[in-house]
Amino acid sequence: VAVPPLYDPSLHLNLCGRIGQDDPLFIAGRYYRYFWSDVESSPQSLLFFAESGADIGENDRMTVDDVRDWCLPKQLNDTLTMIDEHVYIGLCLAPTTRSGTLPPNSVILADTGCSVDIQRPKSCGGCGLISRDALDFVWSSYSKCKAEDIAGQGEQRTSDASSDWESDTSDENETSCPYSSFEGMLGGMRGIWVLDSALGDGIKVLCRSSQQLFALPMTCLQSPSSASSSASSSSRTGETAAGPEGSSGQDYED
């Protein structure tokens, strides 16, 4: 909901007054509650989430607290401040392009040993490493999902997008990512991942602690014990994924 205060001050005050209130906002048969706002936008944008109402089944209902906990699970992020939460939920809502789901235990989060006391939440990440196989996997997944997104916008039929992508990637040389790095998000980690041939074969991603903004449940992330044994056998074994143009390389459910 875009709220232009100069265009209609009464509407602006009415919607802003809904923030923090218990009674929902009723629009077109649905009951909405305030979820998030872009405080730096002009006109200011307020995001309301439909908790119940028309076409929302009993089993599909979610409260704004459920959605907030889905974005930033409290049990994994109990040290976040209100400012942290606001900034990171904004990152969760940012437009992205899916770039595949990494296999289990393919990502290592390395402890860099750096401790930085910052007074504001991080909105940018650090730099990690990625193997050739992992980079090609992310690139192929990104290309396919990008084509499907374009098809979904009516510019191209889904069947055509799939067949075009399959024909484009039938050549082994064309499935190889033409870039040596990319920027994206992997779960709650954000930053740049750079190709490192020393990681060897297989889908391997190394993330730095400086890249972790918040924590999410991820089956692709190795447990600390597994990561420590892997690191002892190779000083640079790791894994990370994300997609070009700020796309996410890790589906949330992982």
Side-chain angles (χ1 to χ4, degrees), residues 111-117 209-210:
D111 184 2
T112 58
C114 297
S115 178
V116 180
D117 183 16
S209 56
S210 60

Side-chain angles (χ1 to χ4, degrees), residues 187-198:
M189 290 172 278
R190 183 183 186 185
I192 295 175
W193 282 266
V194 180
L195 174 64
D196 184 3
S197 57

Side-chain angles (χ1 to χ4, degrees), residues 71-73 76-81 83-94 96 109-110 116 118 120-127 183-193 207-216 218 221 246:
C71 294
L72 299 174
L76 300 178
N77 301 279
D78 56 358
T79 61
L80 294 183
T81 66
I83 295 178
D84 293 334
E85 180 184 275
H86 184 85
V87 171
Y88 296 153
I89 285 182
L91 291 177
C92 293
L93 298 175
T96 61
L109 179 59
V116 180
I118 56 176
R120 58 183 181 181
K122 295 188 299 181
S123 59
C124 58
C127 181
E183 180 181 4
M185 288 193 69
L186 169 58
M189 290 172 278
R190 183 183 186 185
I192 295 175
W193 282 266
C207 298
R208 306 294 186 184
S209 56
S210 60
Q211 293 181 284
Q212 186 164 32
L213 307 182
F214 52 90
L216 291 176
M218 300 165 58
L221 185 63

Side-chain angles (χ1 to χ4, degrees), residues 45-61:
S45 296
L46 306 178
L47 179 62
F48 288 78
F49 180 79
E51 295 182 325
S52 61
D55 298 324
I56 301 178
E58 186 71 27
N59 296 331
D60 298 326
R61 292 182 181 179

Side-chain angles (χ1 to χ4, degrees), residues 10-98:
S10 62
L11 175 61
H12 180 267
L13 293 175
N14 181 43
L15 287 176
C16 290
R18 293 284 181 171
I19 299 176
Q21 289 189 0
D22 291 333
D23 58 316
L25 179 66
F26 182 76
I27 300 177
R30 290 187 173 185
Y31 294 90
Y32 294 79
R33 291 187 189 277
Y34 168 79
F35 177 65
W36 186 82
S37 62
D38 186 354
V39 295
E40 297 182 353
S41 65
S42 180
Q44 188 175 23
S45 296
L46 306 178
L47 179 62
F48 288 78
F49 180 79
E51 295 182 325
S52 61
D55 298 324
I56 301 178
E58 186 71 27
N59 296 331
D60 298 326
R61 292 182 181 179
M62 294 182 67
T63 67
V64 290
D65 290 334
D66 293 333
V67 179
R68 188 172 286 107
D69 193 60
W70 186 87
C71 294
L72 299 174
K74 293 180 181 178
Q75 68 274 20
L76 300 178
N77 301 279
D78 56 358
T79 61
L80 294 183
T81 66
M82 294 181 64
I83 295 178
D84 293 334
E85 180 184 275
H86 184 85
V87 171
Y88 296 153
I89 285 182
L91 291 177
C92 293
L93 298 175
T96 61
T97 300
R98 294 166 291 126

